[in-house]
Each structure stands twice: as structure tokens, then as C-alpha cells.
Amino acid sequence: TASAGYGKTAVISEWAFIKKEKVAWISLDETDDDPHQFYSYLLEALKPCLQPFEIIQDPLSSCPSVSVSNSLAGLLNCMTKIDQPIYLVLDDYHSIKNPVIHGLLTFMIDHAPDCLHVIISTRTDPVIPLDRFRVQNRLQEIRQKELGFTNEEVYGFLTRIMGLRLSASDAAELADRTEGWIAGVYVAGLYMATCEDTSEFISGFSGNHAYIMGYMVKEVFYMQPQTIRDFLLESSVLEILSESLCNSITNRTDSKALLEKLVAQNHFIVQLDDQQQWYRYHHLYRDVLRKLLQQQFPDRVPELFHRTSLWYEKKHLWNEAIEYAFRSKNTDRVIHLIERYAITALKEGERFTLRKWLDKLPEQSITTNPLLSIIHAWALMNDRTAASDKLLQQRLDHAEKLLSERSKNVSEPDVSGTYTIAQIQDLIILLRAIFSFERGKPSSAFIKKLKKSLHKQSDGRNTISSSTLYLIAHIQLRTVDLNAAYSTLDDAISLAKTQKYSNLLVFNTYLKAWILYQRGKYHQAFKICRATMKLPEPAGQVLKHRNMFSDALQIIQGAVYLEWNQLEKADQCLNSGLNSIKHSTESGMIIHGMIRLIFVRLALRKKTREIKELITQLELTGEFYAGAISLAATIQRVLFSRLGEHSLSLAASRELLSAIKFQPDYFNHELSYYQDYDWRLTEQLIIIGLYFKHCHQKKQTLDKTLTRHVIQFLTLQLKGTQQWDLKRLMIDVLLTMAMVYELTDEADKAFTYLEEALDLAAPEGALRGFIEHRSLLIRPLKKMITLGRYIDFIGKILEDEKSEHDVSPPSPETEDLIQFLLIDPLTTRELEVLRLIATGFSNRKIAAKLFISTNTVKYHVAHIYDKLAVHNRTQAANKAKELGIL
């Protein structure tokens, strides 16, 4: 069962040809909707299959009073003697409407002898007890989903059957446009056989092409009664359909029944949900219906678009309301809707959408409307070009001038029926503050003005209040006033929940969780993210309007999992969170998530190329954060170091360390971005760690002057993190200081700083930093155990003490050989496992030898096989010897 043109008849014909069995075929049409005629066709079709057993006489021809069912029973009895399968094909059964025939077919199936198999081809489900046959396991169903061509089948059909030359990507696009509809693919193939640029043709292929139009109009549209034809035309203006929406624009009350009937008829309609509430037409069929509507009733089209816009407005689905208002060619209504929705759209991060709408409006509509001028300025904020910044300032200046002129004439009017002059003036203050903030310029001076405008918004419930609170919190974070930011975010979250600003709720919760994360309160940060993600969606939302940003909170959850050393969970959360916002303008969240994901995949020993791709993506964010390029380069050094490629030479190390400088008054200044200190300090601590670990591994003497410089720097950072209450970074600084003093043989100081770090980290289970520094802090950690302090916590740190991070690197010769011969070099631990494999050690013996679990051994063995392109131990050992690794 499927719509017209899905190859039902062709499939059965080809099957029958290949099967070479006895096939009785009846092609039905509307004239066959008579029980006697149906039976006579049935008898004639079956006769060749029954010979030479006996010649069936039609009792109806000699005695019309005999019932069809009695005659059918006699026919079925004759078939009981047949021991070979007989296939009865009823093609185009949708032509049959007579319930008596449906009863005959049901009777025939219920009493069919073992030899008889009935094959029904139809555009609609036949009126026979399919559910009962299904439960009895007597029914095989092949529906439109199975009949439609896949991408590969479209490609094969056009290239091998029709002899066309086109790429797999072009075929995939055509499959998407036709939705696998075979007739549509065939028609497109006929066109492409005569055109020069197939890619251009496919990109413009639609239901308006003559063959498609003719086929669907004749075979599909005009086969329906007038009532359904009217409904199809009027509802064709919609992208998605529901009972309420269709009733609203068609002035009907029976849309639900009509939609269900169209679905039952396989009438080129797609059900979008399991609740049978949302549908859409097949893309090509929708094009055909719209063309017919435009041809037959051009005057009704704008009114239908207008009604659709009104319905979406009532549902507060502003994007659709505005798009349909544009289609209705009602500029005044478009402006009205943009004025109502724009601030919410901007708050939800839809600046590009607003730009698209404003670009469609006449310039005069913007320059004579102060609110539209401000909205355009806000929409330009992300361009970050000199020309756009100049235009942005011009728009704000012009809006201020218009407002000043109007305020002289009227006391306190509504400028647009939406906002008063005072409110729009507050918007200008907000925008100038956002501009200063997003360009990395001092913005704390705006807080007083913003709070004043917030105070004037007495109800505290509009979108201006919401955006103002969000910005105030950001500015407070840049001045590292975490307590004030936390309080502001509580107000912002409360407002977002009350007003159902779902995206703003997520972003404010993210900032609040980030504060808790930086303060080392990991359990609390994790908890509020999870609680927000579990909040139900607002009722009545259209399918495509579900809040996709809630998954962004998984970035904080992933960062917390990393601190807890639950690496697989961290990888899953961070990857999911980044995917949810990868196309958004939330660059800070993206960078933070990418940095943590890189650290997770380094710890998981993921493939080198996979980590390098992430580092490259981090570099590309330099457009938004200037330090991203140098941070990416530094993390790349970590990757090289763990691969045994100590590219960070001592000379380069000294140069990088000498360049690390921080002004003593830095902590009294406003940051260029609220995560700026986190990212900069992270980079500097990485450089310090690489230098000291490299010196330790190579048994190099530490440069005393450089060491003093590092200690002075770390001491300053410790004071700063204490001043700002950034306990997460404080732990990192303390561990780095403990490592430095351990290497300079100042054991007491190393122990003191380690103890401080444990006091902060143990209550929250923050293991990861200790594991990263474990190899150089074994002595003070074990001393802490002898004193009976943090025994369980340190036990977790020392689990799998001989980790791959702590093993000496291979010789330079081996390094070079691996790097040269392998795309993805073996790690130090993988080389160690490989040597034991070649010696004949089992997984269990390798685990005992290296003090690791058998699961860890299996993990390394799998990576070795992958990197060497082998499948077993013998192949691995032989390949390693061929390469000179062993």
C-alpha cells in the first residue's frame, strides 16, 4: 500500500516474473465495483491456475439467484486439490468501495486453502480485518516507507537504469526532494537527460515541473471528491498541518476527520508525531497544490496566509506568524509583529533571523521607526566589522534623535503600541552596554544606568527586564563579583520561569552553574543543571519549537564529570552539549565545552587525529576570543608530550615561561570576558607543568631564576583566586606549586600546598587535577596517608598508579620511527603492552605485570590493533617487528 507512483504494480510484476509460479492477476478499476462482476473476473483469472484439475463452471451465469458467497465457497473447495502455490493479485484494490466485495475478500482469505496466497496492491488500506490477520501472523505488509527509494537506490536507478551521469550527493538531494517517490525520480531523470547542469536542475526541482504537475493533478488530486479538493488547496499554504490550524484557516470544523482520511488513503501526507496531531504534505505534492491554488483562486492566497499568521500569533509562535505575514504582503502587520517579538527574539539569540526580516523591509520603514532602528542595531551586534559597528551606532543615534523629537510633542505615548518612549530609551542604554561588553571594552560603568532603568520597569516582567538582568549578571562576572552575579541570576531565572523564556532560563542557569563550578561546588552545579533540564516544555508548542538549548547545560555537567574523573560520562555530556549549540552565537559556552572535551579525550587516549580536529576547531574560535589560538597551540603541546614527541624543547619552555607575566593589580580590573582569567591561567599552568615534567623526565637541572619566576607568578595567582573565590582554579594553582616545590626538594612546602588542595577538593570529589599531577606528587600523597588524612580520596588518586601518563617515553629513535610509519602513533603504555604481547603474555598476566585491570589491557590491545591495522596478537607482533618498533 502506498500513494500513486510508488511502484506497487511494478514490484509485483517483477516479483511474479522472477517467481515463475502460477499467478492470477486482476487489474481493478471503478467499473469493477460490483460483486457479480468481481467474482466473474476472479473466476476467469484463476482458471489457468486450476487446469488441468477440473474446469470450473460459473454457477452465476446459469442461475443468477445463486449467491456470490456460495459460488466462492465452491471455487475454494475446488482449490483444495492443488498442491502448488497459487498467487492471486488484486491490483488497484482501492478502486473497490462496495462492502459486499470486501466481505467476499475476507471470506476468501478466512477459508483459503493452503495453496492460495492473496496479494493486494492499493493506495488505501482495504476494508478487511487487517488487525486480526496481523495477530494471526497471516499478514505481510509492504508500505510506502519500504517502497520509496533510498539515496543509494535513487543513485543506482538514475545511473545504471537511466544511464545518467551524476554524483552521489546530487542523487541524495534528489532523494530528499522527492522523498523517495519513484515516479518523481523517474520524471526528474527524464528532465536531466536533456539538461546540462544536473546539480542546478536538482536544486530547483519541484512539483511545478510539467510531468509531475500533470501526473499528480490527474492521478491524485482529481481522484478526490470536491470537499477534499477544497481542503487540500486551502491547507496547501501550510508547512505543517494540525486540526486546529486547518480549521482556523479553512473555516471548517471537520479538519481532523479529513486529515485522518488522507492518512488512511496514503494521500501524499506524512504523519509527524505518534499522537496524530501534526502532519505535512509530500514536498512535491504541496508544490502541485500551491500551483493549483494560485491558478484557480489567486485572490484567496493572501487571506489564507493572513489567517495562518493570526493563528500562529495567538499561539505566540512569532517566527511563523511573521513569515506568513510577509507572504500575505501586509507590511504594516509585519512591522507590528516584529515590534512585538523582536526583543524576545534577540534575547533568544535569533539575531540572524531578525536581520533577514529587516532586510526585506523598505529602508524608510526602519529609519522612521525608532524601535525598528534599535532592533536593527541589536541584530547587527554579531557582525563585528567596522562598517556594521558604524551602522549600529548610527541606528542608535538616529533612534535617540527621533525619540527626543517625539517626547517634546507628547507626554508619554506608546511609540508603537508595544513600548513607551521611556522603555525604548532604556533599550538604547541596554544596547550600548551590550555593545561595550561584547567588544571587550569596560562595561561596569553601565551597571548603575542598567539598574536604574530596571527599577523604572516596575512590573519587572517584560523582556527588557529579562535582557537587562542577563547583561548585568554578565558584567558582574567580568568584574568577578560572583556574589552579586549569583544574586542577579537568581532574579533572572525566576523571571525566565515565570514568563516561560525557555532559552534565557537555560543561559542564566548555565551562568549560575558556572559560578558554582568555579567555586568548586561541583555537586550543587550538577544538581541545578539536571533540575533545569527536567523542566517540562511549555504546553502547546509546535514540534519544531521544542527548546534545543537545554542540552547546553550538559557542558557544565561534563566539566563536573571530568573533575570527578568519570571520563566516559564527561565525553558523552560535553559532546551532546556542544552539538546543541554549535550553530548558536554562544561562543563562550562553545569554547569552554571544547576545552573540557579536549582534556577528556586526552585522558581517554582517544585517536590523535580526533583530538587534533578538536584543537583545530578551538583555533577557529579566535574570532570571538583572541587567546583561543595560543591556548590551542599550548594544548597541542600536551598532545605531543603524551605521544612522546617532546616538541616543547627546554629552550622553548624557558622562553614561554619567561613570557608569563601578570600585573599585581590585574585582579582589580575588569576582564575582557568573564571566562578570560580561567582560560589564560589554564594555559599558563599547562606551560609550567610541561616544563617541570619535561625536566624531571629528562633529568635536567631546573633553572633557578626561572623557578623563582614561576613561584612568584603562582603565589600571585593563589592570592588572586583566593580574592575572587575561584576554588577550582585555586586547587590547580596549589597542585602546581606542590609539584614545583617537590621537584626543588622543598618537601615541607610541597606537603603544605598539597594539603591545602586536598582540603578544598576532597569534599567535592575533585580527583582529576591530582591524577594529572600524580606522578610527581607520590611522596607527599603517601605521607598524607601515613598521617591518616584523606585515605579514601588519596586511594582513588593512586588507583592504577602506573598509568600511561606516568611511564617514561620511548627512545627518540623509536619515537621518530613510530611517528613516521604510523598515522596515529602508539602511546608509551601501548608500546609496553605490545612488548608483553610479543613475549606471549596473556591479558591477565599483562594486567598483573603493569598493575592495571584486564579491562584496561583490552582497551589498549584494541587501540594497538586499530593503529597497526591488524586483527590478532600474532599479526600485531609481526607488524611491529616489520616496522622496527620491536
Side-chain angles (χ1 to χ4, degrees):
T1 174
S3 305
Y6 270 90
K8 300 182 292 297
T9 302
V11 166
I12 300 171
S13 298
E14 186 173 349
W15 171 85
F17 177 78
I18 295 171
K19 192 74 175 172
K20 298 189 185 309
E21 298 282 0
K22 293 182 177 181
V23 177
W25 190 295
I26 304 176
S27 294
L28 299 162
D29 59 37
E30 289 79 2
T31 62
D32 302 322
D33 201 19
D34 175 271
H36 287 71
Q37 186 166 316
F38 176 82
Y39 178 75
S40 64
Y41 283 166
L42 181 66
L43 183 61
E44 287 301 316
L46 284 170
K47 273 184 181 179
C49 300
L50 298 177
Q51 294 174 351
F53 292 98
E54 66 180 280
I55 298 175
I56 306 297
Q57 296 296 325
D58 181 4
L60 295 176
S61 61
S62 58
C63 186
S65 61
V66 175
S67 71
V68 176
S69 57
N70 286 340
S71 297
L72 182 59
L75 177 62
L76 294 173
N77 284 332
C78 293
M79 298 173 68
T80 57
K81 301 174 184 178
I82 308 295
D83 58 3
Q84 292 180 335
I86 296 174
Y87 298 93
L88 171 65
V89 177
L90 301 176
D91 194 19
D92 288 340
Y93 189 80
H94 55 269
S95 303
I96 302 301
K97 311 297 182 187
N98 194 318
V100 175
I101 298 179
H102 299 322
L104 288 174
L105 178 59
T106 302
F107 177 86
M108 181 170 65
I109 294 172
D110 280 336
H111 298 89
D114 292 342
C115 66
L116 180 61
H117 305 278
V118 181
I119 298 171
I120 303 171
S121 161
T122 178
R123 296 182 187 178
T124 63
D125 281 11
V127 188
I128 60 176
L130 294 177
D131 290 339
R132 173 159 61 83
F133 296 149
R134 195 177 290 120
V135 170
Q136 294 171 344
N137 198 29
R138 299 179 65 195
L139 180 67
Q140 173 94 344
E141 297 173 87
I142 302 175
R143 295 186 171 272
Q144 191 160 299
K145 183 178 179 182
E146 290 80 29
L147 288 167
F149 276 2
T150 63
N151 292 2
E152 293 76 15
E153 288 166 340
V154 169
Y155 180 70
F157 177 75
L158 293 174
T159 56
R160 294 197 298 273
I161 305 301
M162 298 193 73
L164 301 176
R165 290 187 178 182
L166 78 163
S167 66
S169 60
D170 282 344
E173 184 178 351
L174 183 61
D176 182 60
R177 286 185 173 274
T178 59
E179 300 187 51
W181 182 43
I182 300 169
V185 174
Y186 177 68
V187 169
L190 294 176
Y191 273 99
M192 285 190 286
T194 61
C195 69
E196 296 181 2
D197 191 337
T198 56
S199 296
E200 184 178 354
F201 168 78
I202 290 171
S203 65
F205 184 63
S206 71
N208 293 327
H209 284 77
Y211 290 164
I212 295 284
M213 186 87 181
Y215 183 90
M216 283 191 153
V217 169
K218 181 180 178 182
E219 296 292 329
V220 181
F221 180 74
Y222 279 115
M223 299 298 289
Q224 298 299 317
Q226 187 64 48
T227 301
I228 290 186
R229 293 207 299 267
D230 291 342
F231 176 78
L232 289 169
L233 291 179
E234 291 177 332
S235 60
S236 69
V237 301
L238 304 173
E239 300 298 329
I240 57 176
L241 307 94
S242 73
E243 176 190 3
S244 171
L245 179 52
C246 290
N247 280 341
S248 177
I249 73 160
T250 63
N251 290 326
R252 307 179 71 94
T253 58
D254 60 347
S255 293
K256 182 174 177 62
L258 292 177
L259 287 168
E260 290 175 350
K261 186 173 183 178
L262 290 171
V263 171
Q265 292 179 351
N266 286 316
H267 195 86
F268 287 95
I269 190 169
V270 180
Q271 186 175 309
L272 298 176
D273 63 347
D274 295 332
Q275 291 75 41
Q276 297 181 323
Q277 293 181 348
W278 294 99
Y279 307 86
R280 69 168 174 82
Y281 292 126
H282 186 293
H283 298 322
L284 296 179
Y285 191 46
R286 182 197 60 200
D287 293 343
V288 169
L289 293 175
R290 288 179 178 176
K291 184 74 175 289
L292 282 174
L293 176 65
Q294 189 64 44
Q295 288 174 349
Q296 296 180 13
F297 308 105
D299 295 338
R300 294 179 61 185
V301 175
E303 178 59 25
L304 289 169
F305 282 136
H306 179 70
R307 291 180 194 173
T308 307
S309 178
L310 289 173
W311 185 89
Y312 276 112
E313 182 185 7
K314 288 177 183 177
K315 299 294 182 181
H316 299 289
L317 298 170
W318 304 104
N319 280 286
E320 285 77 8
I322 293 170
E323 289 293 347
Y324 279 103
F326 269 116
R327 295 181 193 181
S328 71
K329 298 184 174 10
N330 188 335
T331 303
D332 290 340
R333 175 166 173 75
V334 168
I335 292 173
H336 164 72
L337 290 172
I338 291 176
E339 288 175 343
R340 287 194 63 189
Y341 173 61
I343 307 304
T344 301
L346 291 165
K347 168 183 59 62
E348 299 285 357
E350 298 180 28
R351 294 178 183 176
F352 295 111
T353 301
L354 275 170
R355 283 285 300 279
K356 178 185 71 175
W357 291 336
L358 292 169
D359 287 345
K360 292 181 183 179
L361 290 176
E363 174 70 7
Q364 187 179 3
S365 297
I366 298 174
T367 55
T368 57
N369 186 315
L371 183 56
L372 287 186
S373 293
I374 292 169
I375 292 166
H376 192 213
W378 199 335
L380 289 166
M381 198 75 72
N382 269 26
D383 280 14
R384 295 176 182 271
T385 63
S388 291
D389 284 358
K390 182 179 179 181
L391 179 58
L392 185 156
Q393 297 285 11
Q394 288 175 349
R395 291 291 196 220
L396 292 179
D397 292 343
H398 183 68
E400 279 186 319
K401 182 179 178 182
L402 287 175
L403 290 171
S404 176
E405 292 172 354
R406 293 192 185 187
S407 62
K408 293 175 183 177
N409 301 323
V410 188
S411 57
E412 189 68 15
D414 282 357
V415 170
S416 61
T418 306
Y419 297 101
T420 65
I421 287 178
Q423 287 175 322
I424 298 181
Q425 288 170 334
D426 289 339
L427 263 177
I428 293 174
I429 294 172
L430 177 64
L431 279 177
R432 293 201 188 279
I434 292 173
F435 180 79
S436 182
F437 176 87
E438 293 200 355
R439 296 304 181 269
K441 298 174 183 178
S443 50
S444 56
F446 284 96
I447 285 188
K448 189 174 181 180
K449 291 181 180 180
L450 290 170
K451 286 185 175 179
K452 184 179 179 181
S453 69
L454 189 64
H455 180 71
K456 287 192 297 181
Q457 298 156 25
S458 56
D459 61 358
R461 293 179 179 276
N462 58 49
T463 51
I464 302 176
S465 302
S466 178
S467 302
T468 302
L469 284 168
Y470 187 51
L471 180 61
I472 289 173
H474 268 87
I475 295 173
Q476 288 166 334
L477 285 173
R478 273 179 50 172
T479 57
V480 202
D481 190 351
L482 299 188
N483 289 328
Y486 197 86
S487 176
T488 301
L489 289 168
D490 276 339
D491 293 339
I493 289 170
S494 176
L495 178 61
K497 285 181 179 178
T498 303
Q499 298 302 303
K500 298 179 181 177
Y501 300 150
S502 54
N503 286 349
L504 193 61
L505 172 62
V506 170
F507 296 145
N508 281 314
T509 302
Y510 177 92
L511 291 180
K512 184 176 178 179
W514 183 85
I515 292 173
L516 292 168
Y517 168 75
Q518 292 294 1
R519 284 180 160 174
K521 296 181 179 180
Y522 301 126
H523 290 91
Q524 199 174 341
F526 191 92
K527 184 178 179 181
I528 69 166
C529 289
R530 174 163 287 182
T532 301
M533 290 181 68
K534 287 182 177 179
L535 288 175
E537 293 286 352
Q541 285 200 5
V542 177
L543 286 175
K544 63 182 179 179
H545 284 274
R546 301 291 185 250
N547 179 22
M548 302 304 294
F549 282 114
S550 62
D551 282 345
L553 294 176
Q554 291 193 68
I555 291 174
I556 295 292
Q557 290 180 301
V560 170
Y561 274 131
L562 173 59
E563 297 297 331
W564 290 339
N565 202 42
Q566 297 181 37
L567 301 177
E568 293 291 352
K569 289 181 178 178
D571 186 86
Q572 183 180 354
C573 282
L574 289 165
N575 194 50
S576 176
L578 283 169
N579 281 335
S580 73
I581 59 170
K582 62 185 178 182
H583 298 303
S584 75
T585 58
E586 298 302 316
S587 54
M589 295 167 70
I590 293 170
I591 294 170
H592 176 65
M594 288 174 61
I595 292 169
R596 301 301 153 201
L597 185 58
I598 292 170
F599 288 158
V600 167
R601 294 195 171 172
L602 281 166
L604 284 172
R605 315 299 293 178
K606 293 287 187 179
K607 291 183 178 180
T608 304
R609 67 176 70 89
E610 188 178 312
I611 299 172
K612 284 182 177 178
E613 284 175 5
L614 277 173
I615 292 173
T616 301
Q617 291 174 28
L618 180 59
E619 285 179 333
L620 296 176
T621 62
E623 176 186 356
F624 303 101
Y625 173 66
I629 297 173
S630 64
L631 178 56
T634 299
I635 296 175
Q636 178 101 324
R637 294 187 181 101
V638 177
L639 175 62
F640 288 160
S641 177
R642 292 187 181 183
L643 292 172
E645 308 173 20
H646 293 290
S647 62
L648 189 66
S649 66
L650 285 176
S653 298
R654 292 191 188 96
E655 186 177 340
L656 285 169
L657 284 181
S658 300
I660 292 178
K661 292 178 183 176
F662 245 92
Q663 307 92 332
D665 64 343
Y666 175 85
F667 300 99
N668 299 320
H669 291 168
E670 182 178 335
L671 303 175
S672 62
Y673 192 68
Y674 74 89
Q675 295 185 110
D676 182 59
Y677 180 63
D678 178 3
W679 297 335
R680 291 181 65 182
L681 182 58
T682 296
E683 178 182 1
Q684 289 149 350
L685 293 178
I686 289 172
I687 293 170
I688 292 169
L690 285 173
Y691 169 73
F692 282 92
K693 287 179 182 178
H694 187 54
C695 287
H696 173 70
Q697 288 170 342
K698 297 296 185 182
K699 296 182 170 51
Q700 297 283 343
T701 303
L702 295 174
D703 184 312
K704 292 183 179 180
T705 302
L706 203 57
T707 302
R708 281 196 301 271
H709 172 72
V710 167
I711 290 173
Q712 183 182 13
F713 169 78
L714 291 172
T715 302
L716 180 62
Q717 302 320 304
L718 185 58
K719 289 179 181 177
T721 54
Q722 289 169 341
Q723 175 184 325
W724 284 347
D725 192 25
L726 303 174
K727 290 187 176 64
R728 187 191 70 78
L729 290 171
M730 202 185 306
I731 293 169
D732 289 344
V733 174
L734 288 167
L735 287 172
T736 306
M737 294 182 81
M739 176 195 70
V740 172
Y741 280 120
E742 181 69 11
L743 292 178
T744 57
D745 293 324
E746 297 179 74
D748 290 343
K749 289 184 178 180
F751 184 83
T752 299
Y753 287 116
L754 176 66
E755 186 176 29
E756 283 189 53
L758 285 167
D759 289 340
L760 294 172
E764 290 286 339
L767 288 164
R768 191 65 216 168
F770 293 87
I771 292 172
E772 290 288 345
H773 291 84
R774 175 176 53 194
S775 61
L776 299 181
L777 294 175
I778 291 292
R779 187 167 58 179
L781 284 168
K782 290 186 175 179
K783 180 183 176 182
M784 190 70 69
I785 292 177
T786 62
L787 297 175
R789 305 274 323 273
Y790 299 115
I791 295 173
D792 291 341
F793 187 72
I794 294 174
K796 292 177 182 177
I797 296 170
L798 297 179
E799 281 178 6
D800 188 18
E801 184 180 323
K802 283 182 166 292
S803 76
E804 53 265 40
H805 300 259
D806 305 331
V807 180
S808 299
S811 66
E813 293 80 13
T814 304
E815 281 184 65
D816 293 341
L817 189 62
I818 296 171
Q819 188 64 20
F820 178 72
L821 294 172
L822 297 180
I823 295 173
D824 199 359
L826 296 173
T827 65
T828 301
R829 177 46 65 98
E830 287 164 357
L831 281 169
E832 198 167 3
V833 171
L834 180 59
R835 292 188 187 101
L836 294 174
I837 287 174
T839 309
F841 276 51
S842 65
N843 285 354
R844 187 169 56 80
K845 287 185 178 181
I846 293 173
K849 177 78 173 175
L850 300 180
F851 302 99
I852 58 178
S853 69
T854 53
N855 282 337
T856 303
V857 174
K858 290 177 183 177
Y859 176 83
H860 290 312
V861 169
H863 273 250
I864 290 168
Y865 288 177
D866 183 48
K867 292 178 180 182
L868 295 178
V870 298
H871 302 289
N872 57 48
R873 290 166 167 258
T874 303
Q875 291 175 354
N878 291 338
K879 182 71 169 287
K881 288 172 184 175
E882 289 174 15
L883 294 173
I885 296 172
L886 298 180

